[in-house]
Amino acid sequence: PSQTSVKVGVIHQDTTLPAHVLTDELLGKHFGILGTTGSGKSCAVVLLMRSILDEHPNAHVVMLDPHNEYTKAFGDRAEVLDTHTLELPYWLLNFDELMEVLFGAQADEGSAEAAILADMIPQAKRDQIDDPEKGIHFTIDTPVPYKFADLIRRIDQEMGKLDKNETVAPYRRLRSRLTALQSDIRFKFMFGGISISDRMPDILGRLFRIPVDGKPISIVDLSAIPSEILNVVVSVICRLTFDFALWCERSVPILLVCEEAHRYAPAIPERRYEMTKQALSRIAKEGRKYGASLCVVSQRPSQLAPDLLSQCNTLFAMRMSNNEDQEHLRGAMSDNSVGLMDFLPSLGNGEAVAVGQGVTLPMRIKFKNLPDDQRPHSSTAVFTESWDKGAEDLNFVRDIVRRWRRL
C-alpha cells in the first residue's frame, strides 16, 4: 500500500490474493513480456497498459504495432497513427537512415552517391534558414527542413557541368531514386506534399502525446508501412524517443512499447537491422537516466537482440515450450527465480511467471480477463466456423484486390 502499484490479476496458488506490479520499478528499469503465440501476450500488454493509464491518465506511451492489433483495444484514449495520419518527413531522417531508404541494405556510405548527398543536403538546409548570420550550426543529421526540389535542382546543375558518362552516372542514379520515392504513394507519409514548413513540434507533440488531450497513448500502425523501410521507420521513432527524453531533461518520461520486437531487432547480424538495434539498445542501456522506458514484447526471446532482454529488470514469461527460448530466459533471470521456469510449458492462457524488480517477489500470476471491447485483434481464426459458412463470392475477392492495391 505504501508504494505506487497497479493490480494486474491474482496469484495462481490462491486466487483470493491480488497480484500487483510496482509501477515506477516496472517502468523505470524496462520490462519484457514473452511467450509463444496464442499464450495471451497481446492481452497482457493491453491489461498492463490500461491498468497503468487508469491510474495515470496523463502518461506518455508510444506503441509500435506491426499487425494493427491494438487500434481498437484502447478506444478513444489512443491516438492512432497509420500511413494516412503518420508524419515522418524525410528531413527528420539522419544520413544513415536516408541512405537506407534510398538504396536499402546495399547502401554504401563510401559510394559516390553518398558523397553527393553529404555535400548537397547541408547546402539545401542552409537555404531554408531565415537568417544565415544567426550562427546556427548544424550537421547533416540535424533535423532542419529543406526542399526536395532544391536537392534535385542542385543535382541537375552538377550534371550539367559534367560531360563524361562515368562521372554523370551516380548523379543520374541518385536523381532517379529521389524522384521515384517522391512519386510513390506508399511513401507519402515521408515524401508526400510540397510544404517544408518546420512542423517538428507538432509532429513530436502528436507522437508523444503533448498535450495529452485525453489520449495518453499513441499507436503507430506499422502494418501498411512498406516492408523495405519498416526498419528505418522503427529506427527513426526509437531515436526520436531517446533524443526527446534527453533534451526534455526527464520532465516528460516516455514509455516505448515494442510489439514483435524480434522482427526489427533480431539477434542475427544483418546490416539492415543494425540501425534499429542501435536505437533500441541506446534506450535499453541509457534511457533510464533520461526517462525513456522500454517494453519488449516477443514470442521468440532466443531470436531477440541480447542487449534488449538483458536490460529488462522485470520479465513476464508466459507459456513457452521451446527449449532454446527457455534457456535464453534462464540466463536473464536471477538464480532464486529459475525454479519457476519449470512451469513455462504448462502455463495456461493469460498466466505468467513474473520476476524482477517490478514485483515484490517471483510469482506465478493469472492476468485479469479483458472485456471483449478491450481485447486486441489477435484472437485465433475459427477455421471450422468460417469454412461452414462458405458465403464468399468473386465480389469478395475483387474487394480484397482493391484494398490490396490501395485503390
Side-chain angles (χ1 to χ4, degrees):
S2 62
Q3 300 192 50
T4 304
S5 62
V6 294
K7 180 182 176 182
V8 296
V10 295
I11 304 298
H12 171 78
Q13 292 88 338
D14 186 349
T15 56
T16 63
L17 293 176
H20 288 78
V21 294
L22 306 172
T23 313
D24 286 329
E25 293 292 333
L26 182 77
L27 300 179
K29 299 176 182 177
H30 316 308
F31 64 102
I33 302 175
L34 312 164
T36 189
T37 180
S39 61
K41 287 192 311 300
S42 299
C43 288
V45 171
V46 174
L47 176 62
L48 275 169
M49 292 300 102
R50 291 189 70 97
S51 299
I52 293 172
L53 297 181
D54 286 343
E55 297 292 328
H56 308 282
N58 293 318
H60 304 276
V61 181
V62 180
M63 177 178 284
L64 303 179
D65 183 6
H67 301 302
N68 191 20
E69 295 180 56
Y70 298 97
T71 51
K72 296 180 181 179
F74 294 92
D76 57 4
R77 300 167 73 181
E79 179 78 7
V80 179
L81 304 174
D82 55 19
T83 51
H84 301 292
T85 54
L86 177 65
E87 282 186 89
L88 279 182
Y90 56 88
W91 49 264
L92 274 180
L93 276 61
N94 63 28
F95 185 66
D96 292 339
E97 291 160 350
L98 182 60
M99 286 293 294
E100 182 84 12
V101 171
L102 289 173
F103 301 107
Q106 291 75 37
D108 181 6
E109 295 179 15
S111 65
E113 291 87 344
I116 294 169
L117 279 178
D119 178 56
M120 292 186 174
I121 289 179
Q123 297 179 42
K125 289 181 177 181
R126 194 171 290 111
D127 288 344
Q128 299 305 313
I129 297 177
D130 297 333
D131 184 2
E133 303 302 323
K134 285 182 179 179
I136 298 178
H137 300 285
F138 57 82
T139 68
I140 193 171
D141 292 334
T142 306
V144 176
Y146 63 93
K147 289 183 179 179
F148 227 54
D150 284 350
L151 204 56
I152 295 174
R153 177 176 54 81
R154 290 177 184 278
I155 292 174
D156 289 339
Q157 289 175 349
E158 290 300 317
M159 280 197 299
K161 299 176 184 178
L162 304 171
D163 52 2
K164 294 182 179 180
N165 286 335
E166 59 269 20
T167 55
V168 174
Y171 289 90
R172 286 177 176 167
R173 287 195 296 269
L174 185 56
R175 190 188 192 285
S176 173
R177 187 59 183 146
L178 290 172
T179 53
L181 287 174
Q182 200 172 22
S183 60
D184 192 333
I185 192 172
R186 300 177 303 154
F187 295 85
K188 186 177 180 180
F189 69 95
M190 189 174 285
F191 297 97
I194 58 174
S195 173
I196 53 99
S197 59
D198 189 358
R199 298 195 65 253
M200 189 169 178
D202 301 300
I203 294 169
L204 295 180
R206 189 176 189 190
L207 180 63
F208 300 130
R209 307 311 308 140
I210 304 173
V212 175
D213 286 338
K215 296 183 177 182
I217 181 170
S218 62
I219 300 174
V220 184
D221 177 13
L222 302 174
S223 59
I225 299 291
S227 58
E228 57 264 39
I229 65 164
L230 175 62
N231 294 321
V232 175
V233 171
V234 174
S235 173
V236 174
I237 293 173
C238 296
R239 180 174 56 81
L240 291 176
T241 300
F242 182 87
D243 288 345
F244 186 83
L246 171 67
W247 288 107
C248 77
E249 299 177 341
R250 301 173 65 166
S251 58
V252 183
I254 298 170
L255 170 63
L256 178 65
V257 182
C258 297
E259 173 69 60
E260 298 281 3
H262 57 273
R263 284 190 60 189
Y264 39 81
I268 55 176
E270 285 191 22
R271 179 175 176 176
R272 57 180 172 152
Y273 300 116
E274 287 307 309
M275 284 189 305
T276 309
K277 288 197 284 189
Q278 287 176 10
L280 283 170
S281 179
R282 195 178 182 197
I283 296 176
K285 293 177 179 177
E286 306 173 41
R288 178 184 62 83
K289 304 171 186 176
Y290 304 109
S293 180
L294 188 65
C295 169
V296 177
V297 185
S298 176
Q299 57 183 271
R300 291 305 309 274
S302 63
Q303 295 182 3
L304 194 61
D307 281 352
L308 301 186
L309 206 56
S310 64
Q311 298 297 325
C312 291
N313 281 265
T314 307
L315 293 174
F316 297 92
M318 309 188 79
R319 187 173 63 250
M320 200 175 299
S321 55
N322 186 280
N323 288 331
E324 187 179 359
D325 290 333
Q326 291 181 33
E327 289 301 320
H328 205 75
L329 268 180
R330 281 191 174 92
M333 289 183 174
S334 60
D335 292 340
N336 64 342
S337 57
V338 169
L340 287 170
M341 295 292 296
D342 295 337
F343 294 107
L344 286 188
S346 59
L347 291 178
N349 288 352
E351 291 186 1
V353 170
V355 299
Q357 298 186 10
V359 290
T360 52
L361 76 167
M363 56 187 177
R364 180 177 173 181
I365 64 174
K366 183 172 179 59
F367 286 111
K368 292 187 292 187
N369 289 325
L370 284 170
D372 289 341
D373 61 338
Q374 296 177 12
R375 299 177 72 86
H377 186 61
S378 59
S379 58
T380 305
V382 184
F383 281 69
T384 54
E385 182 179 323
S386 298
W387 287 354
D388 285 345
K389 292 179 182 177
E392 297 82 7
D393 56 12
L394 199 56
N395 289 327
F396 173 80
V397 180
R398 292 191 182 102
D399 183 59
I400 295 295
V401 171
R402 277 194 295 272
R403 283 188 284 143
W404 195 334
R405 292 173 173 170
R406 298 181 180 87
L407 296 179

